[in-house]
Amino acid sequence: DADVTQTPRNRITKTGKRIMLECSQTKGHDRMYWYRQDPGLGLRLIYYSFDVKDINKGEISDGYSVSRQAQAKFSLSLESAIPNQTALYFCATSVQSGPHNEQFFGPGTRLTVL
Amino acid sequence: AQKITQTQPGMFVQEKEAVTLDCTYDTSDQSYGLFWYKQPSSGEMIFLIYQGSYDEQNATEGRYSLNFQKARKSANLVISASQLGDSAMYFCAMRVNNAGNMLTFGGGTRLMVKP
């Protein structure tokens, strides 16, 4: 089945460390997204990419960077992790046009920054 | 800016009964889409149902239906004949069509189905 995968699924790290979260998809979608989920706040958009050469900041991009290595791969980096970046991180994909343009989500990465 | 409000942090429903999860939204755009996602305890986000702002009929998908009241800017999810497996977090989200495909999410409602 075409899928969206995230690695690692769980990560515990220390303040100040550099962390990379990876997302791969076999759906053939052009558009990819990174969200974080905090309790009671739903999901908030960090970065999004409409193709390999197009990367845009979302609502909460400070402290994060991304790389779109290929159509199928979109990585999120925390250059110097801090405790308030402890959250559940989701990657998502979508097509450019379609009946609903719904986003398909990966399983999530639970990140804890000590 | 767009905003989604889900006023029910948590709800209980008896198995086999229907339940309505509230969602109100705020946007000045005329063309937009509304989504509901389910997040079980395992954490994944599952797409449930979609309603376009120009759709004249309320969306339905199996036991899920969307009560869309455009003038009130509400898009409530109705789950009929609740099952134990419906226990989960439910998120309402909106996409404004002239702003790419980005979603704005509400804070979610935790639904607990009682046997």
Side-chain angles (χ1 to χ4, degrees):
Chain A
D1 285 344
D3 214 347
V4 183
T5 57
Q6 293 183 233
T7 56
R9 294 293 312 278
N10 289 281
R11 182 73 183 268
I12 300 173
T13 190
K14 294 182 178 180
T15 298
K17 294 291 187 181
R18 184 178 189 276
I19 296 297
M20 179 180 286
L21 309 183
E22 298 186 344
C23 176
S24 295
Q25 52 113 347
T26 56
K27 289 187 171 294
H29 291 173
D30 292 327
R31 300 183 171 191
M32 299 186 74
Y33 311 80
W34 275 106
Y35 292 89
R36 67 176 277 176
Q37 182 180 15
D38 298 279
L41 293 179
L43 278 69
R44 291 181 291 166
L45 183 65
I46 305 172
Y47 269 96
Y48 62 100
S49 170
F50 285 174
D51 65 41
V52 175
K53 298 180 180 179
D54 179 68
I55 292 178
N56 305 278
K57 293 182 178 181
E59 179 187 355
I60 52 164
S61 59
D62 287 350
Y64 302 94
S65 62
V66 291
S67 173
R68 185 83 183 264
Q69 302 94 324
Q71 186 202 36
K73 296 184 181 297
F74 192 36
S75 300
L76 176 72
S77 293
L78 287 67
E79 297 302 325
S80 179
I82 56 177
N84 76 1
Q85 291 178 314
T86 293
L88 182 58
Y89 289 84
F90 285 102
C91 174
T93 73
S94 71
V95 295
Q96 181 177 359
S97 62
H100 301 159
N101 287 6
E102 71 265 32
Q103 294 185 12
F104 296 86
F105 286 81
T109 294
R110 189 168 298 279
L111 176 67
T112 302
V113 183
L114 302 177
Chain B
Q2 294 75 44
K3 185 176 181 180
I4 296 282
T5 303
Q6 295 180 251
T7 58
Q8 305 152 314
M11 291 188 68
F12 284 96
V13 64
Q14 199 69 40
E15 191 178 11
K16 300 181 183 178
E17 293 185 350
V19 63
T20 297
L21 307 184
D22 293 342
C23 172
T24 58
Y25 59 92
D26 187 21
T27 181
S28 57
D29 290 87
Q30 298 301 309
S31 179
Y32 51 88
L34 296 155
F35 300 78
W36 278 91
Y37 283 85
K38 174 183 178 181
Q39 186 180 42
S41 58
S42 51
E44 71 268 31
M45 296 288 287
I46 303 167
F47 166 70
L48 295 178
I49 196 168
Y50 167 84
Q51 179 84 41
S53 59
Y54 294 119
D55 293 343
E56 295 184 351
Q57 292 189 332
N58 287 341
T60 60
E61 289 286 349
R63 294 187 298 111
Y64 304 109
S65 60
L66 202 152
N67 183 2
F68 181 46
Q69 298 187 47
K70 193 170 182 178
R72 295 184 178 184
K73 294 189 175 179
S74 73
N76 299 338
L77 177 70
V78 180
I79 305 174
S80 63
S82 297
Q83 302 172 357
L84 295 178
D86 293 334
S87 294
M89 283 290 290
Y90 289 82
F91 291 96
C92 180
M94 177 171 62
R95 179 196 68 225
V96 173
N97 292 341
N98 67 358
N101 198 31
M102 286 75 72
L103 293 177
T104 300
F105 283 82
T109 295
R110 181 172 297 282
L111 177 66
M112 292 152 282
V113 181
K114 297 186 290 185

